[in-house]
Amino acid sequence: MSRKTSSLIFLFALLLIPSALLAQSNTGARTGPRVRPKSGHVLVAPYWTVEAGWSTELEVRNNLGQDDLVVTPALRTFDGLEIQLGPITIPADQVRSVNLADAIQAANPKLSGGANYSFGSLTLRYNSISTQNVYAAVVVHHEGYPINFHFDAFLVDSSFASGSSETIWWLPNPTSDGYLVVSNFSSRLVTAEQVVTGSKSSRGQQSFSVGAHETRRFSIRELKHTLGIEGNVGGIKVAFDSDAGSVYVSNVLFDEFSGFSAIMKVFNRDASAQLERITLMAPLVGLRVPDAMLGYPAGTVLQPQLFVRNASSHALASSILVNWKSSTSTGKVSLNIPPLAPEETRLVDLGAMQQNGTLPPNANWASVGITYDGRPGDLVPVAASYDSSSRYGVQSPFSSDLSFMWKGGMWHVDGTHNTLITTGNAGQKPAQVVVTLFYGQNAVYELPVKQLAPGEQTWVDIGELIRNGIPDKNRRIMPADTMSGSYEIKDLNDSSIGYLYEGKIISDKKFGHATYGCAACCGFDDAYLAPDPLFGPIGGNGSFGVWATNSCTGVPTNKSGLAYNWASSVPPVATVDASGNTTWISIGTTSVTSSINLRSPIGINNCHVATFPLDAPGIVIPNFTVGYNAYIAVDNVQGPTVCFYQQLPWTKVYMGDGNRGTYRTAEQIQVIPDLQTSLNFFQNTGQTRNYGYYSPLNGSTLSSLDEDGVANDCLLWNLAGQATPNFSHDESYPQAHQAQVHYTGSVSNPLEIVTAPITWDMRTVLDTTNPQSPTAYVNYNHTCYPAHQVIVNGTVVYAYFPPDNSAFYILGCLFFQTGKVIGVSQVKSVPTH
């Protein structure tokens, strides 16, 4: 077989190798989702107290779906002293509750009951892959009173430097008071300025400071008196020149005489943020007729109202949409209110609207949405629904948070408590919602899938599910003695962004009060391309996968198909189309970039849609087809035995491979040294044909004239056969940028009884240290007949031609195995593909 012809055979075989397979064989590269290491994380909660008559429960949820988590809480007193508490082990998707007074007693009995250790802030430390793997809340209760406060734990955002915390104060009764709590989670002294506004344009301000890790508590009534503020409702601004994201402001109201308590949500405002259209939702606003699940006395009538404050320095227009629900029907009403003047606080009386027919008088609940154009924190809304005595009431906080998944904290159901959970679709497309309840020891209750149209909302009364023994979608029933658990909400239609909002109310029938709770927004805290890097051969194609990690569950999910703006930094090396498919053009490296939009819980504006930049190298590398074959370089040779024609012996003639494109033996493989990868091994033997009397008929070469088609007559063509290949190969990668292809084998003439094998032991060494100019050489050991060669990417790296084609020479080489050819070839440059 000629060298040219053999090269064509091996190149043809190369065309059959799928280039996508080559591109994805990435030994040494990250080919799939990252295995993220665990690291230390810290959450903080702004307030706790164990003062006389007060108790605090810490509720901690493990958002991971499989692994346990160990969370270690530490209390900081109001003056910054840290009290280390015992670790809490929380199983997957479970919640644990800790009474802080008991925890302090267990940690250090000497501290229990000390006046200096009565209130402050709280820190939670744990090792996990993401901060969002834990959701925690602090619930403060005034014992013997219907007074409860709920504080979420959060991540300190050091990137939020200067800004303000905005809220509303409200003292509905002469005996009402409240606390403005300012907790400093930084290790530096922080200075701030309070601005308090009230009715008749009354306005006052004062500066104050908070030491490192300290908590300061201001009486709302004293602030109002000191600054000369009039009225019973107004605004509070706490402005920081630095460390705004490290200081948390809380605002709680209470009245021991009436049993009134309220949480006035605080909004962070960054005056330098971009303008945008913002919708704030309050999903569980109680209307005049209380829901029976609240357990209020018969005849109780609530006075639902919205406080809306403009925290900006310019007039602010807004619109309000009320989605109401009664026991038998639902509907929606749009409300138009005049623009708010700067620093104005206005009351929107929903109860009066029920009385005048704007809203149905028998409606129990409302989901209220307020939309405005501005910056986060420009508009500060608070919903409050209390009866005329202020004892019986319910609140629902406003939030712009939306997501495809929520991990909820603790729910309670017993003789005096019940829990109502709601979720709604604030998007423009239908949502397919699943609400899952976790309870007991890894028990799961999964409600039937609920289809929610845009603007639609659904409610889950957990007490009703337990009391009535209602089975879930899998026919499971929660035991009648089930008292607490956690929950999860997710949209099956959208697992990347999502537009679900959520709310939770826990009613206390003993005291006639309802406390709202929140959930952890689950989004993605990273996004990346894989493989990283992506390797490929010239002329091939490949594609990156897009991955992101769920910040709550820690589970990586494939987001391929959602990325956009694909680009290659070096198009002569590789190009990339709008779908992310790359085409490898020349040896080298390019940076492939893209972007993806995902829901993210990271930053001051929680649960926003973030654009994640994507970037990974695309590397075009040499790949080699390494082929070995043995062939008879002449047209024909005499065999070792005879056949008989008309009783006369005739030495058989064997067809050679010269100029016919055939071979005796062949091995071939595709190898990529930089990936330490090989594929598509090929082995074969050529057909053996012998001829008898009169051949070659033309007197010199075998031709079609010799093909008479009659077997075993010793006239012209006599017999054909093919040996079965059973060769061996192995590939090794002893060092970077090197591959060794080792071929060995032995095969005999299938038409002869005599054992006279062709043998070979060929080791081809490839070097890609210089990827633009790779090299190869061969360690060879083979019989002295027939011809042997090694071809790499069409280039002959090693070639041996026997000096003699006589029967005597062949007999010595093959039968007696004399004259073995052993050595090392010269190093040759070879093509890159």
Side-chain angles (χ1 to χ4, degrees), residues 398-482:
F398 280 91
S399 173
S400 62
D401 296 349
L402 302 171
S403 187
F404 63 89
M405 175 183 281
W406 294 90
K407 292 280 191 175
M410 185 171 281
W411 51 262
H412 297 273
V413 174
D414 55 37
T416 58
H417 294 87
N418 193 11
T419 300
L420 181 68
I421 295 172
T422 185
T423 184
N425 179 9
Q428 302 300 314
K429 297 180 180 180
Q432 192 175 16
V433 178
V434 173
V435 178
T436 303
L437 306 178
F438 303 93
Y439 63 97
Q441 295 296 321
N442 300 318
V444 177
Y445 183 97
E446 190 173 1
L447 278 80
V449 175
K450 183 75 173 181
Q451 300 287 341
L452 293 184
E456 192 175 2
Q457 189 171 349
T458 186
W459 294 262
V460 178
D461 185 331
I462 300 180
E464 182 182 21
L465 297 177
I466 296 173
R467 287 191 308 270
N468 297 337
I470 299 174
D472 74 350
K473 60 181 292 187
N474 301 305
R475 301 184 180 275
R476 288 179 293 226
I477 296 175
M478 282 188 284
D481 60 353
T482 303

Side-chain angles (χ1 to χ4, degrees), residues 516-564:
Y516 71 76
C518 298
C521 157
C522 299
F524 298 94
D525 54 11
D526 67 358
Y528 50 90
L529 298 177
D532 181 7
L534 176 65
F535 295 93
I538 294 175
N541 299 97
S543 61
F544 287 93
V546 181
W547 292 85
T549 304
N550 187 305
S551 60
C552 286
T553 66
V555 176
T557 57
N558 194 316
K559 299 299 177 183
S560 299
L562 298 180
Y564 59 94

Side-chain angles (χ1 to χ4, degrees), residues 681-732:
F681 175 67
F682 165 84
Q683 63 176 346
N684 206 358
T685 59
Q687 188 183 59
T688 299
R689 300 178 68 85
N690 64 25
Y691 298 80
Y693 192 74
Y694 284 132
S695 285
L697 192 58
N698 65 12
S700 58
T701 60
L702 293 169
S703 66
S704 60
L705 298 176
D706 298 282
E707 305 297 334
D708 62 351
V710 181
N712 290 315
D713 63 352
C714 204
L715 176 67
L716 301 178
W717 173 74
N718 179 62
L719 197 59
Q722 186 169 352
T724 300
N726 187 19
F727 313 146
S728 67
H729 72 99
D730 62 86
E731 291 73 48
S732 60

